[in-house]
Amino acid sequence: MSDIIRSADWFKAPSLRNIVEALSDEHGGPRIVGGAVRDSLLGLGVSDVDLATTLLPKEVMDRLEQAGIKSVPTGVEHGTVTAVADGKNYEITTLRRDVATDGRRAVVAFSTDWTEDAARRDFTINALYADGHTGEIFDYFNGQQDLKSGIVRFIGEADERIAEDYLRILRFFRFFARFGTGPADDRALAACAKGAHGLTALSRERIAQELTRLITLPNPILSVQLMKECRIFAQFLPELDDKVVEKLETVVRREAQHNLDISLAARLLTLLPRDPVAVDKVSARLKLSNRLREQLLHRVSGELPTESNVREIAYRWGMTCAIDVVNLYASDNIFEKCIARLTGWSLPVFEIKGGDVIAMGVPAGPMVARTLQSLEQYWIDQDFPAMEEMFTKSVQIVGELLSATRKA
């Protein structure tokens, strides 16, 4: 297994080699820890590389400075320093043990014991270390076997790990959606259900971040189903749609069948009723960004998608919005037709302006705006004819309108 690590491009990167050399210590460090090791063993791409060291944060920064490597004290009180080299960020954390926890944050003491550091992590598959020099893997809790077996398992007692940080409940379901290939661990599920009340103590931002990471995985269906059964959502999302699993299954299936991009907005809306008031309430509670909040509201406002109105939805709110609305709310008997109406179609531009309408005889003033709106809606209703044709038709429509106005 060490060969897999040693041959990885990220491991051979000169920036990492320089950091490892600068931070060598008498306790076998530094070591690569967590996701980079786990994902490399699975043959997955690695984007972030984290290191663990027995050196105290100040010495880490001093040694990096001596080696000409920029360091940033991103979390010194918790032992974390970020090294910046060749445009890449490497988080370097001193070995720790928990002194006290309250379910949201921990008071830590620094350590030189690798096993002690591993024991405070959440899951066995995340407690894998690799020697920074040789790539040798250190596995203190049988994480490699769990990884092969598709098991997501808490280290030690699940209740204790959850009580240290209740966000681990959501992390369990996210990691199960990513790496689980068999039945979920019964003890983990029981502990998550038992500790779910603790989610109410977490910031809404932390919950929203973890929820969005889960819901946008390729296939989060089983995790969402288990979360519903364990009443996890009840703690922060009482508006959960009772048909969430069926809705999510439909969206995931349609994405796969038509090679559609995973949409955060569409995935989130599978959790909720098609109700603008409820959606806006949830957006505010979870402190979603204004942009995402607006996207969600656009998708639940207005009419349900049909073959005749789907292009208007795209024109008014964007192609991505229209695809999401179809994916979410089109019935199976019209879904294919709606997608076909959007495929290969470019959003047109309504080129008639106020000056054009005035040139057609409409007097300047409020009537110009009303006339433009009428012409635009006609253009939409006629399925967006070419603008040359529309200009000709507009002259006729405006003439009839002016004639009717004079008669009135």
Side-chain angles (χ1 to χ4, degrees):
M1 290 297 180
S2 58
D3 291 342
I4 295 176
I5 303 299
R6 279 199 306 270
S7 62
D9 289 341
W10 62 263
F11 188 81
K12 295 184 292 185
S15 53
L16 180 60
R17 296 294 92 223
N18 292 336
I19 291 171
V20 168
E21 186 63 32
L23 301 182
S24 295
D25 63 52
E26 61 184 10
H27 298 284
R31 294 178 183 175
I32 318 303
V33 63
V37 180
R38 178 198 66 221
D39 292 351
S40 292
L41 294 178
L42 290 173
L44 303 175
V46 170
S47 55
D48 298 317
V49 178
D50 298 329
L51 296 91
T53 178
T54 62
L55 303 177
L56 295 177
K58 184 179 185 307
E59 185 170 0
V60 169
M61 297 182 69
D62 288 344
R63 289 200 185 192
L64 291 174
E65 183 179 356
Q66 291 170 9
I69 299 170
K70 179 182 177 181
S71 65
V72 182
T74 46
V76 171
E77 66 277 11
H78 296 293
T80 301
V81 172
T82 298
V84 182
D86 295 343
K88 301 174 185 176
N89 292 342
Y90 296 89
E91 280 200 357
I92 305 161
T93 303
T94 303
L95 302 193
R96 299 172 292 181
R97 57 182 173 83
D98 290 336
V99 175
T101 60
D102 63 4
R104 293 177 298 170
R105 63 184 68 86
V107 177
V108 300
F110 298 132
S111 169
T112 58
D113 188 325
W114 293 98
T115 304
E116 196 172 50
D117 185 75
R120 69 177 300 277
R121 298 181 182 273
D122 48 12
F123 311 115
T124 61
I125 61 174
N126 290 341
L128 298 171
Y129 298 72
D131 187 287
H133 299 278
T134 67
E136 178 186 357
I137 294 174
F138 297 87
D139 180 2
Y140 301 98
F141 298 103
N142 208 29
Q144 292 179 87
Q145 185 57 51
D146 286 347
L147 204 58
K148 291 177 183 177
S149 302
I151 296 173
V152 180
R153 184 166 55 90
F154 283 99
I155 292 171
E157 293 298 324
D159 289 336
E160 294 178 7
R161 295 291 81 73
I162 288 172
E164 291 165 355
D165 184 354
Y166 288 105
L167 193 69
R168 286 174 171 174
I169 293 174
L170 299 184
R171 282 174 59 83
F172 169 78
F173 291 104
R174 175 164 66 88
F175 278 90
F176 180 69
R178 278 195 71 189
F179 303 113
T181 57
D185 182 75
D186 288 336
R187 288 181 298 177
L189 288 178
C192 287
K194 180 181 176 182
H197 64 89
L199 291 170
T200 59
L202 300 178
S203 71
R204 302 299 96 176
E205 293 94 335
R206 292 185 75 198
I207 288 177
Q209 182 183 48
E210 199 62 40
L211 180 63
T212 56
R213 293 174 75 180
L214 162 64
I215 203 69
T216 51
L217 289 171
N219 188 356
I221 296 170
L222 181 54
S223 281
V224 168
Q225 179 180 333
L226 292 171
M227 289 173 69
K228 181 185 175 188
E229 293 172 357
C230 293
R231 294 189 56 76
I232 305 300
F233 287 111
Q235 310 304 318
F236 60 89
L237 201 67
E239 298 86 353
L240 184 73
D241 194 310
D242 192 53
K243 295 184 178 179
V244 56
V245 176
E246 295 91 329
K247 290 167 64 178
L248 185 56
E249 285 176 338
T250 297
V251 167
V252 171
R253 169 174 52 82
R254 288 174 171 180
E255 287 170 348
Q257 289 176 344
H258 292 270
N259 197 30
L260 302 177
D261 292 335
I262 292 175
S263 163
L264 171 58
R267 292 287 188 90
L268 283 176
L269 286 172
T270 63
L271 305 175
L272 301 172
R274 189 175 179 274
D275 176 357
V277 174
V279 168
D280 198 46
K281 184 177 179 181
V282 169
S283 297
R285 182 189 309 131
L286 295 183
K287 298 184 178 180
L288 302 180
S289 69
N290 290 336
R291 182 170 180 269
L292 179 55
R293 191 171 180 172
E294 184 178 77
Q295 290 175 348
L296 295 176
L297 286 174
H298 285 166
R299 285 154 176 74
V300 295
S301 303
E303 300 177 351
L304 288 169
T306 65
E307 188 179 358
S308 60
N309 74 7
V310 68
R311 285 186 172 177
E312 180 175 0
I313 295 173
Y315 172 71
R316 295 196 181 281
W317 303 115
M319 185 64 72
T320 301
C321 178
I323 291 173
D324 282 353
V325 169
V326 170
N327 203 4
L328 281 161
Y329 304 121
S331 59
D332 283 338
N333 63 324
I334 66 166
F335 173 76
E336 299 284 351
K337 294 177 181 178
C338 288
I339 288 294
R341 290 272 291 159
L342 297 174
T343 301
W345 185 67
S346 299
L347 295 179
V349 177
F350 186 66
E351 298 177 1
I352 299 175
K353 308 298 180 185
D356 299 316
V357 172
I358 291 173
M360 295 175 193
V362 176
M367 190 175 179
V368 172
R370 292 197 299 270
T371 302
L372 278 174
Q373 290 175 357
S374 297
L375 292 176
E376 185 181 30
Q377 190 59 55
Y378 175 87
W379 178 62
I380 292 169
D381 293 341
Q382 297 301 308
D383 199 21
F384 306 93
M387 287 312 303
E388 183 178 350
E389 177 185 342
M390 186 61 202
F391 266 105
T392 301
K393 187 64 179 178
S394 295
V395 173
Q396 177 187 336
I397 293 172
V398 169
E400 293 172 353
L401 178 64
L402 292 173
S403 177
T405 301
R406 284 191 290 268
K407 289 179 181 179

